[in-house]
């Protein structure tokens, strides 16, 4: 009778293996993953800590892997491939390899574990590493259907394992319920980088998302903490958003989680240059909490040429009132498209400039620019004269009179 591999791990080791296999989360302390040009794993080295004990899974995969019909064991693997699990405290291990064309399982004593022990080990590999995620998902779907693959995805205990199973299952035709289960796991990914990449891969496969799936996806992004990753992801999502106001609102709700004024400006400047269903007015509204006058000016400068509707103009002028710096306020007014603005909106701009720009010099520069650029100058003379009452400097007033 052979000595049981899992019994040879001692009592603390047995507890650790059993709990990993049952789906309890371990803490990833070290990992190395190498993939080929198609994204398939060729090498992996991954450590886990469980109840104070540390385990290590090492594998080299040189070709195709086939799982058994129950998706619990390896039916075939290429020559030279192997998978090894090691318990550091005892130095016990399990080795899976190809010998003479057959898959063999052995421990450090040369014994063969029981089928149940092998399946326990394989389950721990499935739940805690991205190794075999594609094969496991495909086999489960072929033999048991998509719900079984979703159950496996939900058993993943760490970011890279969750990401691997989400990516694998997303290659299939999923209904709304399945999509929402996938997105619920996606929202649990802690790494902002991993979450962003996984969203991109999910959307690359799931081309047509219903509105409820979009809302679930976007609401799941509110926990991202990296302003950079949030901005990069939202910029890529913008052209894919359907024309639905509820989805647009959820999208801008995520944008409001970005604390960096610089990243907020970059997002607005990037999405405004793309073909999207997002409104310019909503972009200004979503940028209202930018505290930097410089970045606020840059937002106006980026969006000004895209302003077309009365709502857009109203949102832009409202946004500009948050700028405290006279210099940046002037720069914002100078970036407006006066050649295409109607008389009423131009008059409103003049009134706001005279109200919010305290510097005589900056206000005079603003009024001169408007008079030179607006096709409605003749109809705006009285409005400009009223604005001049805000300028105390005779020389600056004269400069504006000279262009009237």
């Amino acid at each position: 009778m052979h000595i049981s591999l899992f019994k040879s791990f001692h009592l603390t080791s047995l507890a650790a293996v059993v709990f990993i296999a049952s789906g309890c989360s371990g803490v990833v302390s070290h990992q190395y993953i190498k993939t080929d040009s198609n994204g398939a794993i060729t090498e992996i080295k991954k450590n886990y800590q469980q109840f104070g004990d540390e385990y290590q899974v090492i594998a080299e995969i040189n070709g195709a892997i086939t799982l058994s019909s129950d998706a619990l064991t390896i039916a075939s693997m290429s020559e030279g491939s192997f998978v090894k699990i090691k318990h550091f405290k005892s130095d016990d291990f399990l080795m899976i390899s190809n010998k003479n064309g057959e898959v063999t399982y052995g421990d450090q004593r040369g014994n063969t574990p029981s089928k149940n022990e092998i399946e326990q080990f394989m389950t721990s590999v499935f739940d805690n590493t991205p190794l075999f995620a594609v094969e496991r998902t495909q086999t489960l779907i072929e033999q048991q259907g998509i719900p079984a693959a979703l159950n496996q995805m939900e058993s993943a205990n760490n970011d890279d394992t969750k990401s691997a199973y989400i990516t694998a299952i997303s290659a299939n035709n999923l209904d709304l319920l399945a999509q929402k289960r996938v997105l619920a796991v996606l929202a649990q990914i802690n790494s902002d980088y991993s979450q962003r990449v996984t969203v991109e891969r999910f959307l690359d496969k799931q081309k047509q998302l219903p509105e409820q799936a979009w809302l679930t996806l976007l609401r799941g992004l509110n926990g991202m903490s990296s302003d950079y990753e949030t901005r990069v992801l939202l910029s890529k999502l913008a052209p894919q958003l359907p024309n639905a106001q509820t989805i647009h609102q959820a999208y801008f709700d995520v944008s409001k989680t970005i604390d960096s004024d610089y990243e907020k400006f970059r997002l607005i400047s990037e999405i405004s240059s793309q073909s999207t269903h997002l409104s310019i007015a909503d972009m200004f509204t979503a940028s209202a909490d930018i505290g930097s006058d410089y970045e606020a000016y840059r937002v106006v400068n980026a969006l000004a040429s895209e302003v077309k509707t009365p709502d857009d103009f109203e949102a832009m002028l409202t946004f500009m009132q948050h700028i405290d710096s006279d210099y940046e306020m002037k720069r914002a007014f100078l970036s407006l498209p006066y050649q295409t603005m109607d008389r009423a909106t131009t008059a409103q701009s003049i009134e706001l400039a005279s109200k919010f720009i305290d510097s005589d010099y900056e206000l005079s520069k603003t009024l001169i620019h408007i008079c030179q650029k607006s096709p409605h100058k003749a109809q705006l003379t009285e409005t400009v004269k009223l604005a001049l009452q805000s300028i105390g400097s005779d020389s600056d007033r004269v400069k504006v009179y000279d262009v009237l």
Side-chain angles (χ1 to χ4, degrees), residues 4 11 19 63 66 68 129 168 179 184-185 187 216 229 261 296 306 309 319-320 322 325-326 336 363 382 398 402:
S4 167
L11 182 60
F19 275 90
T66 303
S68 57
T129 82
Q179 289 174 340
V185 174
T216 301
E229 297 295 352
D261 291 339
E306 304 298 325
T309 70
F319 173 79
M320 289 170 60
H322 297 291
S325 164
D326 288 340
L336 303 192
L363 179 54
E382 293 304 315
V398 168
D402 287 342

Side-chain angles (χ1 to χ4, degrees), residues 90-342:
S90 66
D91 282 334
D92 291 340
F93 65 82
L94 172 69
M95 175 71 77
I96 310 172
S97 59
N98 179 321
K99 289 185 178 180
N100 301 320
E102 293 186 2
V103 177
T104 63
Y105 295 79
D107 61 19
Q108 74 284 353
R109 298 177 179 84
N111 298 315
T112 301
S114 69
K115 183 176 184 294
N116 181 62
E117 290 168 337
I118 293 173
E119 290 178 354
Q120 281 186 318
F121 162 65
M122 290 300 297
T123 301
S124 73
V125 171
F126 296 141
D127 290 350
N128 294 286
T129 82
L131 193 62
F132 311 133
V134 172
E135 293 84 359
R136 170 82 165 158
T137 300
Q138 290 175 342
T139 304
L140 285 172
I141 291 175
E142 290 170 2
Q143 300 297 323
Q144 303 175 42
I146 285 179
L150 290 169
N151 291 338
Q152 171 59 65
M153 174 197 66
E154 291 167 341
S155 297
N157 289 326
N158 49 63
D159 287 353
D160 59 312
T161 307
K162 287 181 171 71
S163 179
Y165 279 103
I166 289 171
T167 301
I169 201 168
S170 296
N172 298 273
N173 184 25
L174 304 178
D175 60 21
L176 176 59
L177 179 60
Q179 289 174 340
K180 294 178 79 169
R181 288 178 67 180
V182 170
L183 293 172
V185 174
L186 201 160
Q188 298 169 11
I189 295 177
N190 294 314
S191 163
D192 290 335
Y193 170 78
S194 182
Q195 190 173 34
R196 171 177 68 81
V197 171
T198 308
V199 169
E200 292 170 359
R201 291 172 179 168
F202 172 79
L203 290 175
D204 184 56
K205 301 297 184 181
Q206 298 291 302
K207 298 293 187 182
Q208 301 295 327
L209 289 187
E211 182 172 333
Q212 282 301 312
W214 270 110
L215 291 174
T216 301
L217 186 156
L218 291 167
R219 289 165 181 166
L221 302 180
N222 282 310
M224 293 181 71
S225 58
S226 167
D227 292 341
Y228 171 80
E229 297 295 352
T230 304
R231 186 265 301 172
V232 171
L233 178 55
L234 289 180
S235 182
K236 290 184 178 180
L237 291 185
Q240 304 177 58
L241 297 175
N243 190 13
Q245 187 57 37
T246 54
I247 294 175
H248 297 176
Q249 184 59 55
Y251 175 89
F252 284 117
D253 285 344
V254 179
S255 77
K256 292 174 184 177
T257 67
I258 299 176
D259 293 324
S260 165
D261 291 339
Y262 170 72
E263 294 295 353
K264 282 188 177 180
F265 155 71
R266 288 201 63 184
L267 173 63
I268 294 302
S269 65
E270 288 168 1
I271 63 178
S272 65
S273 64
Q274 303 179 64
S275 177
T276 75
H277 295 294
L278 299 171
S279 78
I280 299 299
D282 285 343
M283 293 181 198
F284 277 117
T285 301
S287 305
D289 59 349
I290 289 181
S292 165
D293 290 340
Y294 172 68
E295 299 298 354
Y297 149 69
R298 295 179 78 193
V299 168
V300 175
N301 188 53
L303 296 182
S305 62
E306 304 298 325
V307 171
K308 300 291 189 283
T309 70
D311 286 344
D312 292 345
F313 280 110
E314 183 66 30
M316 178 175 62
L317 294 176
T318 299
F319 173 79
M320 289 170 60
Q321 295 175 39
H322 297 291
I323 300 176
D324 293 324
S325 164
D326 288 340
Y327 174 71
E328 299 298 355
M329 179 73 86
K330 176 205 69 177
R331 294 179 74 194
F333 274 109
L334 265 56
S335 67
L336 303 192
Y338 296 105
Q339 294 91 334
T340 58
M341 288 169 59
D342 61 33

Side-chain angles (χ1 to χ4, degrees), residues 45-48 53-57 86-92:
K45 182 178 182 181
K46 192 177 183 70
N47 290 19
Y48 301 91
D53 284 350
E54 187 168 6
Y55 297 84
Q56 182 182 76
V57 175
K86 177 182 179 181
H87 177 240
F88 280 101
K89 182 180 290 186
S90 66
D91 282 334
D92 291 340

